[in-house]
Amino acid sequence: MKSAQFELHAEIEERHWWFVARRRILQAVIHAVVPPSRETTIVDVGCGTGANLAVLADQYDCVGIDTSSEAVRLAAGRFPQARFVCGAAYEMPSILASAQLIMLNDVLEHVPDDFRMLSELLSWAAPGTYFLLTVPADMALWSEHDQAFGHYRRYSQARLEQVWQGLPVSTLFVSHFNSRLYPIIRAVRRISQWRGKSAGRAGTDFALPSPLTNEMLTRVFAGERRKLTNLVQGGTQAPYRFGVSLMALLRREPGKVEPRRRPGYISSDTFDPVAQMPSLNAVC
């Protein structure tokens, strides 16, 4: 991500329906996995500008890690109740080993080798550590929005599951989400694809709608948390079969993990943000 996208996040993520509803969903799922306790450490890898972690910081010991110095500066200045660290997570084994839950919220699509990233994190995590992953779904939604955010890919469920296949991991659930609004978002993306221009600011589809519309969209999207928490609790509801995003809950099991590279049989990525946008935001 570039400065324009980080600044946009910092400006609207406490109000925009997508950010607000996603935080409510993440908070509900996390509560169902690890009950609130200041003795429980949650690590947010690729924390960005910090709002996802901040909503948990009064209930858990929270640490955010990001390679972007600008993101960490913005997060630390806005949310002093959490701790934010600049650097690569795999270089912080003591922080990873202390976690009961590690989040990667829309992170894997930003790295060229997602197999390498997840296996490195798993190699340091203690058995029993939960991993909560979210990624953008459905390549049919690919647009300038993805390019502006520096995405290499959007995921199918099968492609996401390949990232941890064969590792000592239990899959507790995988589900699409942001499913209720999928038809509307797909229509907006189709229009953006046809126009060759995003629907929002800074090359993204993010723009604040009217307060009434924003509240309505928040309620519709956030309502999906009931099904997702039911999945955590082993309920009988089926996962969402389609959606704008995917969510996976994993548990690290005993066994050694050797960091591994992406296999050659995995298809090439749609976009190379480093080649196309060499002026990405400075790292620590």
Side-chain angles (χ1 to χ4, degrees):
M1 286 170 59
K2 296 185 291 185
S3 293
Q5 284 77 50
F6 281 125
E7 290 169 2
L8 178 61
H9 271 214
E11 178 185 341
I12 70 172
E13 67 180 343
E14 293 182 77
R15 296 174 291 154
H16 190 281
W17 63 269
W18 186 85
F19 295 98
V20 174
R22 191 176 69 146
R23 284 197 299 274
R24 292 180 187 174
I25 290 170
L26 291 172
Q27 186 176 36
V29 169
I30 289 168
H31 283 177
V33 177
V34 284
S37 169
R38 294 295 299 173
E39 303 302 312
T40 297
T41 299
I42 293 178
V43 175
D44 189 1
V45 175
C47 63
T49 49
N52 289 335
L53 197 63
V55 76
L56 303 166
D58 62 340
Q59 300 167 316
Y60 302 91
D61 173 38
C62 291
V63 183
I65 303 173
D66 204 286
T67 58
S68 165
S69 57
E70 181 170 4
V72 168
R73 177 183 61 79
L74 289 167
R78 297 163 67 218
F79 306 116
Q81 66 271 37
R83 181 159 62 101
F84 296 96
V85 185
C86 189
Y90 66 86
E91 296 176 344
M92 304 179 191
S94 62
I95 293 178
L96 297 174
S98 71
Q100 283 72 56
L101 185 143
I102 295 173
M103 298 193 293
L104 291 94
N105 296 317
D106 289 11
V107 171
L108 291 175
E109 69 274 13
H110 290 277
V111 297
D113 193 340
D114 47 350
F115 285 76
R116 179 82 182 184
M117 181 177 197
L118 185 60
S119 61
E120 284 178 334
L121 298 178
L122 284 165
S123 72
W124 291 115
T129 303
Y130 294 99
F131 279 72
L132 182 60
L133 317 177
T134 64
V135 295
D138 191 354
M139 280 303 301
L141 298 179
W142 183 270
S143 71
E144 184 186 357
H145 177 90
D146 296 278
Q147 296 181 18
F149 276 115
H151 294 176
Y152 282 85
R153 67 196 77 85
R154 300 182 73 91
Y155 286 81
S156 66
Q157 182 171 333
R159 172 65 175 81
L160 178 60
E161 291 174 342
Q162 286 176 319
V163 180
W164 63 83
Q165 192 172 41
L167 298 176
V169 164
S170 292
T171 305
L172 303 183
F173 81 82
V174 181
S175 176
H176 287 83
F177 72 117
N178 203 352
S179 182
R180 295 174 174 180
L181 297 172
Y182 175 83
I184 297 173
I185 294 171
R186 180 160 182 167
V188 170
R189 293 289 173 89
R190 285 284 179 87
I191 293 170
S192 295
Q193 292 163 355
W194 176 73
R195 294 172 63 222
K197 183 180 179 181
S198 65
R201 295 167 49 191
T204 78
D205 286 339
F206 287 135
L208 274 171
S210 70
L212 182 61
T213 301
N214 195 60
E215 177 61 24
M216 180 190 69
L217 294 172
T218 300
R219 288 176 178 269
V220 171
F221 182 14
E224 296 182 8
R225 66 189 182 276
R226 287 182 282 274
K227 174 175 283 200
L228 295 169
T229 53
N230 180 266
L231 294 173
V232 175
Q233 295 161 348
T236 58
Q237 294 191 40
Y240 288 108
R241 294 183 295 107
F242 59 87
V244 181
S245 300
L246 276 157
M247 176 181 291
L249 179 64
L250 315 176
R251 185 177 59 234
R252 168 75 155 95
E253 301 296 350
K256 187 175 182 181
V257 176
E258 293 287 350
R260 61 182 186 174
R261 297 195 179 279
R262 189 170 83 170
Y265 61 80
I266 299 295
S267 300
S268 299
D269 291 318
T270 297
F271 185 70
D272 183 344
V274 174
Q276 297 296 323
M277 299 186 295
S279 58
L280 291 176
N281 191 66
V283 298
C284 332

